[in-house]
Amino acid sequence: MTKFDPASNIQDLLQFGEFGDVNPSITDSATYTFMEAKTMVDTFQGEEEGCFLYSRHWNPSNKYLADALATMEGTESAWVTASGMGAITTTILQLCDSGDHIVSSITTYGGTFAFLSNYLKKFNIEVSFVDITKLDEVEKAIRPNTKMIYTETLTNPLLQLSDLPKLSEITSKHQIKLVVDNTFTPMIMAPARLGADIVLYSLTKFINGKNDCVAGAICASEDFVKAISDVNTGSAMLLGPILDPLRSSSIHKNLHTLHLRMQKHSANALYLAEKFESVRLRVIYPGLPKHPQHQLMKVFMHPEFGFGGMIAIDLKSSKKANTLMEKMQEEGVGYLAVSLGYFKTLFSNSGKSTSSEVPEDVQKSMGLSEGLIRFSVGLDHDIERTWQKIYKCLKETKII
Ligand SMILES: *Cc1c(COP(=O)(O)O)cnc(C)c1O
């Protein structure tokens, strides 16, 4: 595989505004004029390239961000949406008809799990949930009407790594799609280069990194982006989860610092993971040699960006988890909040928050303990100082 350098690819893009502005102009318009009536007709029929018709279809500001994301992922094209869930639901509803079937990892983002297990019933679309690390189990679940395997590169919240090249062998063999949510590992992993057909993002998290808006993206082939934006049959065009261009412009600027932020998130997370391990807590972090897929991750990742900013520790009981989280917030470690990829550290009890859509018996069967605290480690300048605060909290709450 040739060296893939997502950060340099973004850096090399020449995207500037209509007056030579170094940041692309913001197109603050819902509709666009045409000099000739015929051009409008051709644009509607998808025969005129480079023309903008209406901002639910395409908006130039969104196109700049989408082009930058496609460059980052190495896909032909991309589309940006008003939320990560907008990207996920648009993709699934485009690929599946009523009566179809999906094979999905059981550990996914809670909203995704709820959409797959509850909402798709409306369309008579069935979903088989599997342990995505057990490839035999994955392949056995495929039926004649299966349309896709759905997974996350690093699953939420248990941080299991999907073996994308192996999964893509399975999807190619059965001529179905491999759809991958890469929200936890931008820059670190390039799923499309490892065999994914469609790469999804919640831009809300690391990519934007400021926790000031909700947004999403679909990185895919030119054909797929054309299909979702088709005026007659496209799920993006017809369901309308369109990102506001003011927001896409600000996310686009933040994308240019993503490579630096990912390095710092990863370095800080590895530091804390090793410290948690040193005080004999159960830690889940793919950068630790004892993580079951540590070696596999090393094969797939871009090493300069590290193992990511997410850590989970297991305190066994939700009472202990709550006590520690409240204490850590008091001591200024970060915020007791859902979400991730922020410049400050965020922590939450997964079973009772971001995975609360997953029924308790299913949580148990997938190994999600009620005492699991998920950390999104921030960009702290002095991480040893942060550890000292956490250590004090662990002592004072008698967890260690
Ligand atoms: C947050 C998140 C989503 C949903 O994204 P929104 O922007 O909140 O709609 C999907 N997948 C993962 C892994 C997430 O963390």
Side-chain angles (χ1 to χ4, degrees):
M1 200 183 287
T2 53
K3 184 163 160 47
F4 184 63
D5 186 346
S8 301
N9 292 349
I10 293 171
Q11 183 194 325
D12 289 349
L13 278 176
L14 291 180
Q15 296 180 311
F16 46 82
E18 61 184 314
F19 301 105
D21 349 6
V22 292
N23 288 311
S25 318
I26 300 172
T27 304
D28 196 22
S29 289
T31 193
Y32 304 82
T33 59
F34 287 85
M35 293 305 146
E36 291 169 31
K38 181 174 179 309
T39 321
M40 181 189 277
V41 176
D42 291 347
T43 305
F44 241 101
Q45 291 169 351
E47 285 163 11
E48 186 70 37
E49 296 289 326
C51 283
F52 292 91
L53 180 69
Y54 184 63
S55 281
R56 176 157 40 77
H57 184 242
W58 262 122
N59 172 293
S61 301
N62 290 2
K63 181 96 172 71
Y64 286 122
L65 176 59
D67 287 349
L69 291 166
T71 298
M72 177 175 94
E73 286 309 307
T75 55
E76 285 174 359
S77 191
W79 181 271
V80 292
T81 55
S83 68
M85 283 310 295
I88 293 164
T89 55
T90 296
T91 299
I92 292 173
L93 292 175
Q94 189 69 34
L95 291 175
C96 291
D97 292 328
S98 170
D100 283 341
H101 173 252
I102 296 169
V103 175
S104 171
S105 167
I106 180 129
T107 54
T108 55
Y109 175 71
T112 308
F113 181 83
F115 180 74
L116 292 169
S117 67
N118 307 331
Y119 203 85
L120 285 180
K121 287 196 179 122
K122 283 186 200 255
F123 302 101
N124 190 27
I125 297 169
E126 271 193 271
V127 185
S128 301
F129 292 99
V130 294
D131 178 340
I132 204 71
T133 62
K134 301 213 168 92
L135 297 165
D136 289 355
E137 196 182 313
V138 174
E139 185 156 19
K140 264 194 216 125
I142 293 175
R143 304 176 189 169
N145 59 341
T146 305
K147 285 291 158 72
M148 75 176 88
I149 294 179
Y150 185 94
T151 191
E152 296 173 357
T153 317
L154 267 187
T155 66
N156 178 49
L158 294 173
L159 308 177
Q160 290 170 308
L161 180 70
S162 295
D163 187 338
L164 299 178
K166 290 256 168 62
L167 289 168
S168 85
E169 277 172 28
I170 299 174
T171 52
S172 306
K173 185 169 138 199
H174 294 271
Q175 300 192 340
I176 58 177
K177 300 286 185 211
L178 178 58
V179 180
V180 179
D181 179 337
N182 198 45
T183 299
F184 281 19
T185 46
M187 297 270 163
I188 297 169
M189 298 288 220
R193 310 255 309 167
L194 298 169
D197 296 290
I198 297 171
V199 183
L200 302 174
Y201 278 106
S202 167
L203 302 178
T204 317
K205 316 295 170 56
F206 290 103
I207 291 185
N208 186 49
K210 304 290 183 291
N211 245 305
D212 54 4
C213 71
V214 174
I218 301 167
C219 301
S221 67
E222 189 115 28
D223 281 350
F224 189 70
V225 172
K226 276 211 175 102
I228 58 176
S229 56
D230 187 282
V231 294
N232 292 306
T233 55
S235 54
M237 184 65 184
L238 299 176
L239 298 173
I242 302 307
L243 182 58
D244 185 281
L246 292 170
R247 282 303 185 187
S248 78
S249 158
S250 81
I251 297 167
H252 186 243
K253 283 173 286 214
N254 291 334
L255 182 65
H256 286 269
T257 57
L258 179 63
H259 58 300
L260 297 171
R261 291 185 281 112
M262 289 317 292
Q263 286 172 344
K264 190 69 173 168
H265 283 298
S266 290
N268 283 351
L270 180 61
Y271 191 93
L272 291 185
E274 285 172 347
K275 292 291 182 188
F276 281 127
E277 197 171 46
S278 74
V279 296
R280 294 172 205 281
L281 287 173
R282 181 173 170 244
V283 199
I284 306 175
Y285 185 64
L288 295 175
K290 68 154 208 260
H291 185 283
Q293 290 133 335
H294 176 68
Q295 288 304 332
L296 190 65
M297 181 142 173
K298 275 184 159 171
V299 175
F300 298 154
M301 68 194 272
H302 298 135
E304 64 266 43
F305 301 111
F307 292 88
M310 305 302 294
I311 303 180
I313 63 170
D314 183 3
L315 301 182
K316 305 286 189 307
S317 86
S318 60
K319 192 160 165 280
K320 275 190 184 169
N322 290 341
T323 311
L324 181 67
M325 290 191 300
E326 285 166 10
K327 187 81 191 151
M328 287 193 299
Q329 179 156 261
E330 256 171 56
E331 291 293 328
V333 173
Y335 295 134
L336 201 180
V338 296
S339 200
L340 54 119
Y342 187 39
F343 46 76
K344 287 197 180 224
T345 297
L346 303 177
F347 35 82
S348 58
N349 176 217
S350 298
K352 296 274 185 282
S353 60
T354 52
S355 295
S356 61
E357 296 90 338
V358 181
E360 265 176 40
D361 54 321
V362 180
Q363 290 192 19
K364 277 222 174 70
S365 74
M366 66 195 229
L368 203 170
S369 149
E370 62 160 49
L372 199 84
I373 301 179
R374 187 187 76 177
F375 286 79
S376 166
V377 180
L379 300 174
D380 307 22
H381 171 60
D382 183 351
I383 195 68
E384 169 58 23
R385 178 172 162 271
T386 305
W387 168 249
Q388 289 305 331
K389 289 184 188 178
I390 297 174
Y391 186 77
K392 180 166 178 251
C393 297
L394 288 166
K395 282 277 181 209
E396 286 179 8
T397 55
K398 302 200 164 45
I399 286 167
I400 59 168

